[in-house]
Amino acid sequence: MKKLLITTLLVAASPALAEGELNLFNWGNYTSPELLKKFEEEHGVTVTVTDYDSNDTALAKIEAGGHGFDLVVPSHNYVPIFVEKGLLAELDHSRLANFGNIAPEWMDVPWDMGRTHTIPWQWGSTGVAVNTSVYSGDINTSMIFLDPPPELVGKVNVVPEMNDIVNLAIFAAGGEACTEDTEVLKKARDMLMAAKPSWLSMDYGATEKLTNNDWAASVNWNGSSMRARLANPDVAYGYPKEGYPLFMDSVGIVTDAKNVDNAYLFLDFIMVPENAAMISSFARYANGIAGSEEFMPEDMKTAPEVVIPAEHMAAGRFLPTCGPKAREYLTAIWTELQK
């Protein structure tokens, strides 16, 4: 009887025996299967991941309700929008034993001061990936997709993320993100519309299609570009000199989440440095967890896609959260571009 009582108490106290499920809504090809397996084994929680291809897709789905998701991973400039709309729950930091592992530079961030609603997932940049066996010219320019050289005409992809694409054009037009200058916006719009006939597609799966030579170039994110280069050495990543976006994707609990306890378990789990490194090892982006560096793959520590070369650093900028008028302009350009 005494032995049975002790066993019962141990089972009740074990954090590995949390039951049930967890539904994660995340960018496609962005979640480490090894990380999920480790979490499921440690906590007895089954994780289902549903993919999306843009911030606006995620926002629309969560805002519509009835989605069944517990966690979502918006980019930094969309976090305030999610919060303003009441779509992200305020975090109870007392339930996150590893909260102190967030690196200081990623704690008091403009889009989520004190990390009241999100914790870091990964961060990186948006540039252009080019197959250098097809095109050997300058790749550190947005002209790769805004005015493709002859070698790349009909072979360029553009990822379906409005803020990245339109703002790359705005930077090339001499403007700043969230501009309401109609002259700059018209110039950016005209550049995009003139370039579109030279594109092959507006699709998400750059890692595989760059690897397989289906595309010769694509607007793309740095981690995806590194993964493509590791599989296809001809792929190189360019930092547009006209200006390029930086981003941090962060994960938060959806307000109407059904599996809140398991969501907290997962958030705390990914703030363990070794586990944060598993996310980075898979998707090849940096993360915001202090101490994760020692667990990172050696090839990430010097990769030009991850460690921004000094000569390209100044051109990178985090996109702010646009006001209603600027967002209306962005959406109008994007809607016209997709017709």
Side-chain angles (χ1 to χ4, degrees), residues 164-178:
D164 286 338
I165 302 308
V166 180
N167 278 301
L168 280 165
I170 288 172
F171 295 156
E176 294 297 327
C178 296

Side-chain angles (χ1 to χ4, degrees), residues 287-308:
N287 63 71
I289 302 302
S292 64
E293 297 81 7
E294 64 179 287
F295 301 102
M296 301 279 267
E298 284 298 318
D299 58 3
M300 286 188 68
K301 295 177 181 178
T302 56
E305 301 92 347
V306 179
V307 182
I308 301 175

Side-chain angles (χ1 to χ4, degrees), residues 78-106:
Y78 272 69
V79 170
I81 299 173
F82 272 78
V83 172
E84 181 183 339
K85 290 177 176 289
L87 303 177
L88 287 180
E90 186 169 351
L91 296 177
D92 180 355
H93 294 163
S94 70
R95 301 185 66 178
L96 299 169
N98 296 308
F99 186 74
N101 290 339
I102 297 177
E105 63 269 28
W106 297 115

Side-chain angles (χ1 to χ4, degrees), residues 11-39:
V11 169
S14 172
L17 295 177
E19 296 180 352
E21 59 186 26
L22 181 67
N23 295 297
L24 172 63
F25 196 30
N26 200 359
W27 296 83
N29 202 10
Y30 202 40
T31 311
S32 164
E34 291 78 13
L35 176 89
L36 297 182
K37 181 180 179 183
K38 182 179 179 182
F39 176 75

Side-chain angles (χ1 to χ4, degrees), residues 43-77:
H43 293 287
V45 173
T46 300
V47 182
T48 300
V49 180
T50 302
D51 295 344
Y52 54 83
D53 61 5
S54 75
N55 279 297
D56 287 291
T57 298
L59 178 63
K61 185 74 172 179
I62 297 297
E63 193 169 15
H67 45 73
F69 301 124
D70 302 305
L71 295 167
V72 66
V73 192
S75 297
H76 68 284
N77 55 323

Side-chain angles (χ1 to χ4, degrees), residues 44-324:
V45 173
T46 300
V47 182
T48 300
V49 180
T50 302
D51 295 344
Y52 54 83
D53 61 5
S54 75
N55 279 297
D56 287 291
T57 298
L59 178 63
K61 185 74 172 179
I62 297 297
E63 193 169 15
H67 45 73
F69 301 124
D70 302 305
L71 295 167
V72 66
V73 192
S75 297
H76 68 284
N77 55 323
Y78 272 69
V79 170
I81 299 173
F82 272 78
V83 172
E84 181 183 339
K85 290 177 176 289
L87 303 177
L88 287 180
E90 186 169 351
L91 296 177
D92 180 355
H93 294 163
S94 70
R95 301 185 66 178
L96 299 169
N98 296 308
F99 186 74
N101 290 339
I102 297 177
E105 63 269 28
W106 297 115
M107 180 63 75
D108 287 321
V109 288
W111 56 88
D112 191 13
M113 289 294 291
R115 290 290 177 176
T116 58
H117 289 81
T118 65
I119 66 166
W121 182 261
Q122 294 185 103
W123 74 274
S125 62
T126 308
V128 289
V130 179
N131 188 314
T132 56
S133 71
V134 178
Y135 177 69
S136 59
D138 180 19
I139 65 171
N140 294 300
T141 172
S142 287
M143 294 305 113
I144 292 294
F145 81 101
L146 290 175
D147 187 15
E151 300 96 317
L152 296 178
V153 171
K155 303 173 184 177
V156 177
N157 177 69
V158 172
V159 292
E161 172 53 36
M162 175 182 75
N163 285 263
D164 286 338
I165 302 308
V166 180
N167 278 301
L168 280 165
I170 288 172
F171 295 156
E176 294 297 327
C178 296
T179 183
E180 296 181 13
D181 184 327
T182 55
E183 288 301 314
V184 170
L185 288 162
K186 182 179 184 304
K187 186 175 179 181
R189 175 258 179 209
D190 290 348
M191 292 172 72
L192 287 165
M193 294 304 296
K196 185 180 177 181
S198 297
W199 302 342
L200 173 64
S201 55
M202 295 179 70
D203 201 358
Y204 183 78
T207 304
E208 296 79 6
K209 292 185 178 180
L210 286 167
T211 296
N212 298 334
N213 296 316
D214 295 328
W215 301 337
S218 180
V219 178
N220 200 29
W221 300 287
N222 63 307
S224 169
S225 299
M226 179 179 177
R227 293 169 72 184
R229 174 178 62 80
L230 291 175
N232 182 349
D234 290 330
V235 175
Y237 182 69
Y239 294 88
K241 55 196 171 194
E242 300 87 357
Y244 61 89
L246 299 172
F247 66 85
M248 169 168 270
D249 297 330
S250 297
V251 55
I253 300 175
V254 181
T255 306
D256 56 357
K258 299 294 188 291
N259 302 294
V260 175
D261 291 342
N262 292 338
Y264 272 103
L265 281 177
F266 188 79
L267 293 184
D268 204 47
F269 178 81
I270 64 174
M271 287 188 287
V272 174
E274 185 174 359
N275 297 337
M278 292 178 73
I279 300 174
S280 294
S281 299
F282 172 76
R284 299 291 179 162
Y285 299 89
N287 63 71
I289 302 302
S292 64
E293 297 81 7
E294 64 179 287
F295 301 102
M296 301 279 267
E298 284 298 318
D299 58 3
M300 286 188 68
K301 295 177 181 178
T302 56
E305 301 92 347
V306 179
V307 182
I308 301 175
E311 64 268 28
H312 302 308
M313 200 169 294
R317 60 202 77 170
F318 280 93
L319 300 179
T321 301
C322 295

